[in-house]
Amino acid sequence: MSTSVSEQGRELIAAWTEIERGVAEWVLKLADFDASGLWKEDGHATCASWLVDRCQIARSTAFEKLKVAHELTRRNVVRTAFLDGLPYSKVRLLVRLVGVDAERDELFVHHAEHDSIRVLEQRVDTWNEYHDQDRKPSSLDDHYGIRRQRGFGGGLGKVVIEAPDDMLDRMFAVVDAYGDYLWRNQPESAMQTRPQAVDNSDGELRRAPGAQRLDWLFDLLEERALADPRAIDPYKATVGVTIQYEDLINASGPGLSSQGTWLTGEAVRRLACDAGIHRICSFHHHLVHEGGWTAAWNASTGVTRLEGPKGQILETTTTFRRAA
């Protein structure tokens, strides 16, 4: 790495080097902390939640740090390079490499020491693409699945499904067949007049094709989930939302789902139409009744405060969101 010709520049570089060294030590300790489960003592259900609360970092950043930390426990070459000063911004790219051994890791570490971030990212992406092309179809199972991604804002999220084409064809065939049944037998169920509806030439309001398919897919999922309680536990299939009671009643604020997603006030009230209401989430309900914790809510500040048997303190609030 080149150095600055000015004294102030050299000081900044030296300070940044110290910061990177501290980040390396912190990340490497994180995997052990997560595995130990000690974050539970502070009243959190996951290590990611603990990081968000105690270290004041974004949830997406918390998940990234945990992923890197655990990957480094298996990638000794990258781990050593990290301790020797390889920046975190490059380490987080190297742990994305798939199908590499120690020898390949050494090659990529060498590249990382000389490449810019942009070039290294291109090199990693290119390797992963070629690696996927060389694998047999049966070995691509680890890429199949469904995952949630950052949405478009305004209360809209995004779900990505990656699966073989024949499996996707089956899914669309079933969904479209169900939609065809609704159109023929229950037109009032198939024709929705929600905000996404479009005015057709015949004057009827119908959902856009993609939105219609999504409605039908959810109908099928919920119908299967509720058809036989012995097959699917309705309680486990329930979405929990935490919201201040006044916000729910006054339609003035958002809520936090059990999946860790902030839902708009309108979305929460839509769910609450046929939902039950409880005064504290299940995890912290257990802490209060069986873990020796106490809970108190300050109506003037909107802060919920939980105190543990060892002096632990956990505070949450959504007041700032109402003001936003």
Side-chain angles (χ1 to χ4, degrees):
M1 181 177 66
S2 60
T3 59
S4 175
V5 296
S6 67
E7 181 179 355
Q8 188 176 25
R10 291 195 297 271
E11 290 177 353
L12 288 172
I13 293 173
W16 186 253
T17 300
E18 286 300 313
I19 291 174
E20 287 284 359
R21 184 175 293 111
V23 170
E25 294 175 355
W26 185 89
V27 169
L28 293 176
K29 290 179 180 178
L30 180 58
D32 292 336
F33 180 66
D34 186 17
S36 72
L38 293 174
W39 35 266
K40 296 179 182 178
E41 296 186 4
D42 289 331
H44 286 274
T46 65
C47 186
S49 175
W50 185 94
L51 288 171
V52 172
D53 177 48
R54 300 298 177 172
C55 297
Q56 296 294 292
I57 61 178
R59 185 172 296 274
S60 58
T61 303
F63 283 119
E64 177 197 284
K65 293 291 193 296
L66 285 166
K67 178 180 179 180
V68 172
H70 286 293
E71 190 66 23
L72 288 175
T73 63
R74 300 183 288 270
R75 307 276 290 277
N76 291 330
V77 174
V78 180
R79 176 190 178 99
T80 300
F82 195 19
L83 287 173
D84 288 343
L86 190 66
Y88 175 81
S89 57
K90 293 186 176 181
V91 170
R92 63 186 288 271
L93 292 176
L94 294 182
V95 299
R96 285 170 38 189
L97 289 165
V98 296
V100 295
D101 52 17
E103 182 179 355
R104 184 66 60 174
D105 265 342
E106 289 179 357
L107 176 61
F108 272 93
V109 165
H110 174 75
H111 289 314
E113 292 171 345
H114 300 87
D115 287 345
S116 66
I117 294 294
R118 183 180 64 82
V119 172
L120 180 62
E121 184 172 23
Q122 292 175 341
R123 197 185 297 275
V124 169
D125 290 343
T126 299
W127 165 264
N128 287 343
E129 290 175 3
Y130 277 117
H131 182 263
D132 285 343
Q133 292 175 0
D134 291 338
R135 293 181 353 180
K136 297 179 180 179
S138 60
S139 66
L140 294 174
D141 288 350
D142 57 337
H143 281 269
Y144 298 167
I146 179 171
R147 65 181 184 276
R148 191 170 191 163
Q149 290 185 348
R150 184 178 298 275
F152 307 99
L156 292 177
K158 182 190 296 185
V159 171
V160 175
I161 299 177
E162 291 183 306
D165 287 330
D166 60 307
M167 186 179 293
L168 295 176
D169 285 345
R170 287 166 52 199
M171 182 186 74
F172 280 107
V174 171
V175 170
D176 289 343
Y178 178 70
D180 181 66
Y181 161 78
L182 291 179
W183 280 110
R184 288 184 289 102
N185 298 278
Q186 302 177 31
E188 70 282 357
S189 298
M191 284 191 349
Q192 303 292 333
T193 56
R194 299 180 190 176
Q196 297 90 338
V198 294
D199 192 348
N200 292 318
S201 58
D202 57 6
E204 293 182 340
L205 288 176
R206 297 178 180 175
R207 296 271 273 166
Q212 286 179 336
R213 275 178 164 168
L214 186 60
D215 287 339
W216 301 336
L217 178 60
F218 278 117
D219 286 346
L220 287 170
L221 287 173
E222 291 187 341
E223 183 175 315
R224 179 64 183 92
L226 300 177
D228 186 357
R230 296 172 300 176
I232 297 179
D233 185 347
Y235 179 78
K236 292 183 179 180
T238 299
V239 175
V241 180
T242 302
I243 187 174
Q244 293 190 28
Y245 185 72
E246 286 72 16
D247 287 346
L248 179 63
I249 298 301
N250 299 325
S252 58
L256 183 64
S257 78
S258 52
Q259 301 290 332
T261 304
W262 282 104
L263 303 177
T264 64
E266 183 60 33
V268 174
R269 287 183 286 280
R270 188 162 57 243
L271 289 173
C273 287
D274 56 355
I277 298 178
H278 301 276
R279 288 287 186 178
I280 194 161
C281 71
S282 60
F283 177 78
H284 292 99
H285 182 84
H286 171 79
L287 289 184
V288 170
H289 287 277
E290 301 179 26
W293 287 65
T294 60
W297 182 65
N298 188 320
S300 62
T301 62
V303 174
T304 300
R305 180 184 178 94
L306 291 96
E307 296 188 21
K310 297 181 181 179
Q312 309 99 309
I313 295 177
L314 182 63
E315 292 184 339
T316 61
T317 180
T318 57
T319 302
F320 73 96
R321 289 184 171 272
R322 288 205 303 271

